[in-house]
PDB file of all heavy atoms in Angstrom:
ATOM      1  N   GLN A 295      21.594  30.376  64.417  1.00  0.00           N
ATOM      2  CA  GLN A 295      20.670  31.519  64.778  1.00  0.00           C
ATOM      3  C   GLN A 295      21.392  32.810  64.153  1.00  0.00           C
ATOM      4  O   GLN A 295      22.534  33.056  64.313  1.00  0.00           O
ATOM      5  CB  GLN A 295      20.606  31.766  66.282  1.00  0.00           C
ATOM      6  CG  GLN A 295      19.631  32.916  66.649  1.00  0.00           C
ATOM      7  CD  GLN A 295      19.467  32.937  68.179  1.00  0.00           C
ATOM      8  OE1 GLN A 295      20.241  32.332  68.929  1.00  0.00           O
ATOM      9  NE2 GLN A 295      18.416  33.587  68.622  1.00  0.00           N
ATOM     10  N   THR A 296      20.537  33.585  63.404  1.00  0.00           N
ATOM     11  CA  THR A 296      20.789  34.853  62.998  1.00  0.00           C
ATOM     12  C   THR A 296      19.528  35.734  63.029  1.00  0.00           C
ATOM     13  O   THR A 296      18.451  35.094  63.440  1.00  0.00           O
ATOM     14  CB  THR A 296      21.208  34.860  61.445  1.00  0.00           C
ATOM     15  OG1 THR A 296      20.116  34.429  60.680  1.00  0.00           O
ATOM     16  CG2 THR A 296      22.424  33.885  61.226  1.00  0.00           C
ATOM     17  N   PRO A 297      19.543  37.039  62.786  1.00  0.00           N
ATOM     18  CA  PRO A 297      18.279  37.714  62.821  1.00  0.00           C
ATOM     19  C   PRO A 297      17.131  37.145  61.967  1.00  0.00           C
ATOM     20  O   PRO A 297      16.033  37.282  62.306  1.00  0.00           O
ATOM     21  CB  PRO A 297      18.682  39.148  62.416  1.00  0.00           C
ATOM     22  CG  PRO A 297      20.149  39.239  62.815  1.00  0.00           C
ATOM     23  CD  PRO A 297      20.721  37.855  62.586  1.00  0.00           C
ATOM     24  N   GLY A 298      17.530  36.441  60.862  1.00  0.00           N
ATOM     25  CA  GLY A 298      16.503  35.927  59.962  1.00  0.00           C
ATOM     26  C   GLY A 298      16.388  34.451  59.939  1.00  0.00           C
ATOM     27  O   GLY A 298      15.642  33.908  59.118  1.00  0.00           O
ATOM     28  N   PHE A 299      16.982  33.826  60.900  1.00  0.00           N
ATOM     29  CA  PHE A 299      17.103  32.265  60.887  1.00  0.00           C
ATOM     30  C   PHE A 299      17.139  31.884  62.399  1.00  0.00           C
ATOM     31  O   PHE A 299      17.971  32.413  63.160  1.00  0.00           O
ATOM     32  CB  PHE A 299      18.146  31.705  60.090  1.00  0.00           C
ATOM     33  CG  PHE A 299      18.160  30.189  59.964  1.00  0.00           C
ATOM     34  CD1 PHE A 299      17.510  29.618  58.872  1.00  0.00           C
ATOM     35  CD2 PHE A 299      18.660  29.416  61.031  1.00  0.00           C
ATOM     36  CE1 PHE A 299      17.486  28.222  58.842  1.00  0.00           C
ATOM     37  CE2 PHE A 299      18.612  28.078  60.960  1.00  0.00           C
ATOM     38  CZ  PHE A 299      18.004  27.438  59.769  1.00  0.00           C
ATOM     39  N   ARG A 300      16.330  30.770  62.713  1.00  0.00           N
ATOM     40  CA  ARG A 300      16.464  30.352  64.125  1.00  0.00           C
ATOM     41  C   ARG A 300      16.301  28.793  64.120  1.00  0.00           C
ATOM     42  O   ARG A 300      15.392  28.172  63.543  1.00  0.00           O
ATOM     43  CB  ARG A 300      15.235  30.953  64.865  1.00  0.00           C
ATOM     44  CG  ARG A 300      15.054  30.496  66.267  1.00  0.00           C
ATOM     45  CD  ARG A 300      13.979  31.214  67.019  1.00  0.00           C
ATOM     46  NE  ARG A 300      13.721  30.599  68.356  1.00  0.00           N
ATOM     47  CZ  ARG A 300      14.528  30.846  69.353  1.00  0.00           C
ATOM     48  NH1 ARG A 300      15.626  31.596  69.368  1.00  0.00           N
ATOM     49  NH2 ARG A 300      14.208  30.265  70.599  1.00  0.00           N
ATOM     50  N   GLY A 301      17.260  28.220  64.906  1.00  0.00           N
ATOM     51  CA  GLY A 301      17.148  26.772  65.171  1.00  0.00           C
ATOM     52  C   GLY A 301      16.189  26.511  66.326  1.00  0.00           C
ATOM     53  O   GLY A 301      15.760  27.374  66.982  1.00  0.00           O
ATOM     54  N   VAL A 302      15.974  25.265  66.558  1.00  0.00           N
ATOM     55  CA  VAL A 302      15.080  24.852  67.506  1.00  0.00           C
ATOM     56  C   VAL A 302      15.680  24.646  68.918  1.00  0.00           C
ATOM     57  O   VAL A 302      14.920  24.634  69.947  1.00  0.00           O
ATOM     58  CB  VAL A 302      14.435  23.473  67.140  1.00  0.00           C
ATOM     59  CG1 VAL A 302      15.267  22.334  67.370  1.00  0.00           C
ATOM     60  CG2 VAL A 302      13.072  23.315  67.892  1.00  0.00           C
ATOM     61  N   ALA A 303      17.056  24.702  68.979  1.00  0.00           N
ATOM     62  CA  ALA A 303      17.713  24.491  70.275  1.00  0.00           C
ATOM     63  C   ALA A 303      18.907  25.410  70.437  1.00  0.00           C
ATOM     64  O   ALA A 303      19.923  25.088  70.876  1.00  0.00           O
ATOM     65  CB  ALA A 303      18.283  23.096  70.385  1.00  0.00           C
ATOM     66  N   THR A 304      18.679  26.697  70.149  1.00  0.00           N
ATOM     67  CA  THR A 304      19.669  27.768  70.174  1.00  0.00           C
ATOM     68  C   THR A 304      20.086  27.863  71.625  1.00  0.00           C
ATOM     69  O   THR A 304      19.292  27.793  72.572  1.00  0.00           O
ATOM     70  CB  THR A 304      19.222  29.083  69.526  1.00  0.00           C
ATOM     71  OG1 THR A 304      18.042  29.479  70.261  1.00  0.00           O
ATOM     72  CG2 THR A 304      18.884  28.927  68.055  1.00  0.00           C
ATOM     73  N   GLY A 305      21.364  28.314  71.824  1.00  0.00           N
ATOM     74  CA  GLY A 305      21.855  28.460  73.179  1.00  0.00           C
ATOM     75  C   GLY A 305      22.440  27.300  73.822  1.00  0.00           C
ATOM     76  O   GLY A 305      23.112  27.315  74.810  1.00  0.00           O
ATOM     77  N   HIS A 306      22.187  26.053  73.266  1.00  0.00           N
ATOM     78  CA  HIS A 306      22.762  24.803  73.813  1.00  0.00           C
ATOM     79  C   HIS A 306      24.057  24.576  73.119  1.00  0.00           C
ATOM     80  O   HIS A 306      24.430  25.079  72.001  1.00  0.00           O
ATOM     81  CB  HIS A 306      21.845  23.651  73.580  1.00  0.00           C
ATOM     82  CG  HIS A 306      20.509  23.835  74.340  1.00  0.00           C
ATOM     83  ND1 HIS A 306      20.412  24.015  75.654  1.00  0.00           N
ATOM     84  CD2 HIS A 306      19.240  23.683  73.863  1.00  0.00           C
ATOM     85  CE1 HIS A 306      19.164  24.153  76.020  1.00  0.00           C
ATOM     86  NE2 HIS A 306      18.395  23.932  74.928  1.00  0.00           N
ATOM     87  N   HIS A 307      24.903  23.751  73.742  1.00  0.00           N
ATOM     88  CA  HIS A 307      26.296  23.313  73.242  1.00  0.00           C
ATOM     89  C   HIS A 307      26.058  22.126  72.432  1.00  0.00           C
ATOM     90  O   HIS A 307      25.695  21.071  72.950  1.00  0.00           O
ATOM     91  CB  HIS A 307      27.150  23.100  74.494  1.00  0.00           C
ATOM     92  CG  HIS A 307      28.629  22.924  74.019  1.00  0.00           C
ATOM     93  ND1 HIS A 307      29.618  22.919  74.944  1.00  0.00           N
ATOM     94  CD2 HIS A 307      29.167  22.601  72.861  1.00  0.00           C
ATOM     95  CE1 HIS A 307      30.767  22.639  74.329  1.00  0.00           C
ATOM     96  NE2 HIS A 307      30.507  22.586  73.025  1.00  0.00           N
ATOM     97  N   LEU A 308      26.557  22.106  71.147  1.00  0.00           N
ATOM     98  CA  LEU A 308      26.397  21.045  70.221  1.00  0.00           C
ATOM     99  C   LEU A 308      27.695  20.317  70.155  1.00  0.00           C
ATOM    100  O   LEU A 308      28.814  20.925  69.923  1.00  0.00           O
ATOM    101  CB  LEU A 308      26.055  21.499  68.821  1.00  0.00           C
ATOM    102  CG  LEU A 308      25.774  20.481  67.737  1.00  0.00           C
ATOM    103  CD1 LEU A 308      24.756  19.502  68.058  1.00  0.00           C
ATOM    104  CD2 LEU A 308      25.533  21.085  66.420  1.00  0.00           C
ATOM    105  N   PHE A 309      27.629  19.020  70.307  1.00  0.00           N
ATOM    106  CA  PHE A 309      28.807  18.102  70.098  1.00  0.00           C
ATOM    107  C   PHE A 309      28.580  17.312  68.893  1.00  0.00           C
ATOM    108  O   PHE A 309      27.745  16.427  68.854  1.00  0.00           O
ATOM    109  CB  PHE A 309      29.051  17.236  71.354  1.00  0.00           C
ATOM    110  CG  PHE A 309      29.560  17.948  72.571  1.00  0.00           C
ATOM    111  CD1 PHE A 309      28.605  18.654  73.301  1.00  0.00           C
ATOM    112  CD2 PHE A 309      30.905  17.963  72.877  1.00  0.00           C
ATOM    113  CE1 PHE A 309      29.154  19.378  74.420  1.00  0.00           C
ATOM    114  CE2 PHE A 309      31.358  18.703  73.969  1.00  0.00           C
ATOM    115  CZ  PHE A 309      30.391  19.341  74.770  1.00  0.00           C
ATOM    116  N   ALA A 310      29.343  17.579  67.728  1.00  0.00           N
ATOM    117  CA  ALA A 310      29.073  17.012  66.507  1.00  0.00           C
ATOM    118  C   ALA A 310      30.244  16.009  66.121  1.00  0.00           C
ATOM    119  O   ALA A 310      31.339  16.281  66.060  1.00  0.00           O
ATOM    120  CB  ALA A 310      29.048  18.106  65.385  1.00  0.00           C
ATOM    121  N   ALA A 311      29.676  14.704  65.898  1.00  0.00           N
ATOM    122  CA  ALA A 311      30.568  13.717  65.517  1.00  0.00           C
ATOM    123  C   ALA A 311      30.452  13.382  63.989  1.00  0.00           C
ATOM    124  O   ALA A 311      29.321  13.095  63.554  1.00  0.00           O
ATOM    125  CB  ALA A 311      30.249  12.350  66.230  1.00  0.00           C
ATOM    126  N   SER A 312      31.545  13.370  63.281  1.00  0.00           N
ATOM    127  CA  SER A 312      31.577  13.277  61.757  1.00  0.00           C
ATOM    128  C   SER A 312      31.849  11.806  61.500  1.00  0.00           C
ATOM    129  O   SER A 312      32.872  11.269  61.959  1.00  0.00           O
ATOM    130  CB  SER A 312      32.581  14.105  61.161  1.00  0.00           C
ATOM    131  OG  SER A 312      32.719  13.911  59.763  1.00  0.00           O
ATOM    132  N   VAL A 313      30.916  11.133  60.827  1.00  0.00           N
ATOM    133  CA  VAL A 313      31.108   9.764  60.525  1.00  0.00           C
ATOM    134  C   VAL A 313      30.886   9.310  59.155  1.00  0.00           C
ATOM    135  O   VAL A 313      31.107   8.163  58.657  1.00  0.00           O
ATOM    136  CB  VAL A 313      30.156   8.823  61.373  1.00  0.00           C
ATOM    137  CG1 VAL A 313      30.414   8.965  62.803  1.00  0.00           C
ATOM    138  CG2 VAL A 313      28.649   9.152  61.070  1.00  0.00           C
ATOM    139  N   PHE A 314      30.598  10.251  58.196  1.00  0.00           N
ATOM    140  CA  PHE A 314      30.195   9.991  56.779  1.00  0.00           C
ATOM    141  C   PHE A 314      31.430  10.373  55.867  1.00  0.00           C
ATOM    142  O   PHE A 314      32.077  11.462  56.064  1.00  0.00           O
ATOM    143  CB  PHE A 314      29.028  10.734  56.420  1.00  0.00           C
ATOM    144  CG  PHE A 314      27.717  10.044  56.738  1.00  0.00           C
ATOM    145  CD1 PHE A 314      27.078  10.393  57.961  1.00  0.00           C
ATOM    146  CD2 PHE A 314      27.174   9.041  55.979  1.00  0.00           C
ATOM    147  CE1 PHE A 314      25.962   9.728  58.326  1.00  0.00           C
ATOM    148  CE2 PHE A 314      26.021   8.412  56.403  1.00  0.00           C
ATOM    149  CZ  PHE A 314      25.381   8.772  57.562  1.00  0.00           C
ATOM    150  N   ALA A 315      31.621   9.566  54.866  1.00  0.00           N
ATOM    151  CA  ALA A 315      32.553   9.937  53.790  1.00  0.00           C
ATOM    152  C   ALA A 315      32.021   9.484  52.417  1.00  0.00           C
ATOM    153  O   ALA A 315      31.105   8.731  52.365  1.00  0.00           O
ATOM    154  CB  ALA A 315      33.986   9.134  54.107  1.00  0.00           C
TER     155      ALA A 315
END
Side-chain angles (χ1 to χ4, degrees):
Q295 185 174 17
T296 66
F299 185 95
R300 177 176 172 80
V302 73
T304 58
H306 297 306
H307 187 168
L308 180 64
F309 289 81
S312 173
V313 297
F314 280 93

